[in-house]
């Protein structure tokens, strides 16, 4: 038997003035029991959609900041990534909380979040990361548009992949086109009219876990992101470690085998060649995983080169002995890097994040076992804790949002 809803629904739909060729739909509805208004915007330039969802206070006051931002936004037509969100905005914005905006620029998407003063994500939005010619100028448009769509109030941090100086200059970024001394911090600050913090994306993820995740209260922690490659961020003595240039945390390029496979960085045998998602796939192929006795591929498609890490994970969960051997070998490589980092920094805790964190149930025991075996002088120290991250794909954006609030002793100002 169906129960009747206890909430009456008030719905109001209005069409506002629109730029030529676009349709801006303004929908408001209210749940009286919550006494809160919700607003949805839709921009439809030639089929792409933009959506925003935000609540208003009980006064039913002025139109939301999201709405105002949408009207201000220019959506440059020559910047495909800035013509509207692909992922939409989700979340309820508490109008009484100070919003801090964080944006994580990934190779595919730029993900933005707004977090409240108590660390909750109250809104989220994303845009495709611009590629090709003029992509950096378009990236600035994307960052400004995301900030405004999320209700920018003067606090913005941005996480970017690559080498970021203390002055917010992106020296190099392998997954962004045309980056060479890109002054993203200064340029965004000029567009928004106030200071903006820029940081390496993995360092942002470390900050998210340190302040709001698995490592709260830990003064010496290292975050490792196990994705296609390896990223890292570190807190030492209660402060974010950035290094003299700002480049600290490139743990994935520690050489663990000088005769190992070639790394895109130009050297051989970097840690990320073994202990990343691509490393797991390589180890699987080297072990002959996914090939029948007669040489025919049985997993991953037509040939063994298509075997990916997720194939190994899936088979391991079903008890496939060959997959479990590969997982164990992979975890030994992960633990080798952790033991090296322990020798260098003596952390209290490692937090493992990135795409492979989905396989925490498979990896945690063998990583810990190998770590204990490989650790230098294990009888003289407790084994550093190893846990998987609490934040998922939002970690970088959440940590970026926290950047401006870190004290000067935790993070030197980048200036503008
Ligand atoms: Zn390398």
């Amino acid at each position: 038997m169906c129960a009747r809803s206890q909430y009456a629904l008030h719905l109001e739909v209005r069409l506002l003035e629109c730029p030529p060729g676009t349709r801006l739909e303004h929908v408001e509805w209210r749940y009286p029991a919550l006494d809160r208004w919700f607003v949805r915007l839709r921009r439809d330039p030639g089929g792409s959609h933009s959506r925003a969802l935000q609540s208003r206070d009980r006064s039913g006051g002025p139109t939301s900041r999201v709405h105002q931002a949408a009207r201000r936004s220019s959506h440059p037509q020559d910047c495909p990534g800035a013509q509207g969100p692909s992922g939409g905005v989700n979340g309820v914005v508490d109008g009484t909380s100070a919003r801090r905006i964080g944006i994580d620029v990934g190779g595919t998407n730029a993900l933005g979040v707004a977090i409240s003063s108590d660390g909750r994500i109250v809104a989220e939005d994303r845009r495709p990361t611009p590629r090709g010619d003029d992509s950096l100028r378009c990236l600035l448009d994307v960052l400004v548009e995301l900030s405004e769509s999320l209700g920018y109030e003067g606090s913005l941090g941005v996480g970017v992949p690559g080498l970021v100086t203390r002055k917010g200059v992106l020296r190099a970024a392998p997954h962004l086109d045309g980056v060479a001394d890109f002054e993203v911090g200064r340029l965004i600050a000029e567009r928004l009219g106030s200071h903006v913090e820029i940081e390496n994306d993995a360092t942002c993820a470390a900050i998210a876990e340190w302040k709001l995740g698995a490592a709260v209260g830990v003064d010496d922690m290292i975050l490792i992101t196990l994705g296609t490659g390896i990223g890292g961020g570190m807190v030492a003595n209660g402060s974010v470690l950035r290094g003299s240039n700002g480049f600290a945390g490139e743990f994935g390029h520690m050489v663990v085998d000088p005769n190992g496979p070639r790394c895109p960085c130009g050297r051989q045998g970097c840690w990320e060649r073994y202990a990343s998602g691509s490393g797991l796939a390589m180890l699987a192929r080297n072990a002959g995983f996914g090939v029948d006795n007669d040489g025919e591929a049985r997993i991953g498609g037509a040939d063994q080169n298509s075997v990916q890490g997720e194939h190994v994970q899936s088979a391991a969960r079903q008890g496939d002995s060959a997959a479990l051997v590969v997982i164990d070998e992979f975890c030994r490589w992960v633990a080798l890097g952790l033991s090296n980092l322990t020798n260098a920094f003596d952390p209290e805790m490692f937090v493992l994040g990135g795409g492979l964190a989905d396989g925490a149930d498979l990896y945690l025991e063998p990583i810990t076992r190998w770590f204990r075996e490989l650790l230098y002088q294990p009888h003289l120290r407790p084994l550093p804790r190893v846990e998987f991250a609490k934040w998922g794909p939002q970690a970088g954006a959440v940590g970026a949002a926290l950047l401006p609030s870190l004290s000067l002793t935790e993070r030197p100002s980048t200036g503008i």
Side-chain angles (χ1 to χ4, degrees), residues 378-395:
H379 59 290
L380 296 180
R381 66 168 99 203
L383 188 74
R385 290 157 54 199
V386 180
E387 294 185 16
F388 277 81
K390 289 191 175 178
W391 289 100
Q394 298 157 318

Side-chain angles (χ1 to χ4, degrees), residues 47-379:
S48 67
H49 296 283
S50 168
R51 293 180 294 129
L53 175 63
Q54 184 173 13
S55 72
R56 299 197 309 184
D57 62 24
R58 65 186 59 193
S59 68
T63 306
S64 69
R65 285 180 291 267
V66 168
H67 183 191
Q68 294 167 351
R71 291 204 292 188
R72 283 199 304 271
S73 181
S74 60
H75 293 283
Q77 296 302 305
D78 56 343
C79 292
Q83 289 181 5
S86 62
V89 178
N90 293 295
V92 175
V93 174
D94 179 350
T96 64
S97 297
R99 267 175 289 183
R100 291 173 286 179
I101 310 300
I103 300 174
D104 181 19
V105 179
T108 304
N109 285 304
L111 170 66
V113 301
I115 64 172
S116 61
S117 56
D118 60 356
R120 289 177 301 115
I121 293 179
V122 293
E124 183 177 318
D125 198 0
R126 73 182 69 226
R127 300 284 192 282
T129 300
R131 305 309 300 259
D133 294 341
D134 216 18
S135 61
L136 297 182
R137 182 180 66 80
C138 293
L139 177 61
L140 297 177
D141 291 335
V142 164
L143 295 175
V144 170
E145 186 178 312
L146 270 176
S147 303
E148 293 184 336
S149 81
L150 292 165
Y152 175 70
E153 294 178 330
S155 177
L156 172 64
V158 179
V160 289
L163 300 176
V164 187
T165 73
R166 287 171 171 262
K167 296 292 185 185
V169 178
L170 187 55
R171 287 265 191 241
H175 303 299
L176 299 177
D177 295 331
V179 169
D181 290 342
F182 179 40
E183 295 183 272
V184 58
R186 179 180 64 79
L187 294 170
I188 287 294
E190 288 177 356
R191 293 279 297 270
L192 292 175
S194 64
H195 180 73
V196 176
E197 295 279 357
I198 310 293
E199 185 56 272
N200 171 270
D201 53 357
T203 298
C204 290
I207 293 168
E209 295 296 333
W210 176 42
K211 291 294 186 181
L212 296 170
V216 170
V218 177
D219 285 342
D220 294 277
M221 62 83 73
I222 295 177
L223 173 123
I224 305 292
T225 59
L226 304 173
T228 305
I230 287 180
M234 181 172 166
V235 173
N237 299 324
S239 298
V240 176
L241 185 75
R242 302 188 71 243
S244 61
N245 296 293
F247 301 165
E250 295 293 335
F251 306 131
H253 296 289
M254 292 188 299
V255 173
V256 294
D257 180 3
N259 299 312
R262 181 74 61 185
C263 179
C265 77
R267 298 180 302 166
Q268 288 178 261
C270 291
W271 188 33
E272 74 170 29
R273 290 297 86 207
Y274 298 94
S276 64
S278 57
L280 176 59
M282 179 199 73
L283 294 171
R285 291 192 291 269
N286 290 348
F289 171 79
V291 178
D292 283 333
N293 291 334
D294 59 4
E296 291 294 319
R298 62 181 173 86
I299 292 176
D303 65 74
Q304 203 211 2
N305 287 330
S306 60
V307 170
Q308 300 297 317
E310 54 263 35
H311 299 131
V312 184
Q313 285 190 13
S314 176
R317 287 203 173 91
Q318 296 169 20
D320 184 294
S321 58
L324 290 168
V325 168
V326 173
I327 294 281
D328 195 66
E329 171 73 357
F330 169 77
C331 291
R332 190 180 72 84
W333 284 108
V334 174
L336 177 63
L338 301 187
S339 68
N340 287 345
L341 290 170
T342 302
N343 289 338
F345 300 110
D346 191 22
E348 175 184 341
M349 179 181 190
F350 286 98
V351 178
L352 306 182
L356 289 179
D358 290 344
D361 56 315
L362 293 169
Y363 302 130
L364 193 55
E365 185 281 325
I367 286 175
T368 305
R369 172 167 40 82
W370 279 115
F371 188 21
R372 184 174 289 110
E373 184 157 320
L374 295 167
L375 186 64
Y376 172 63
Q377 300 285 34
H379 59 290

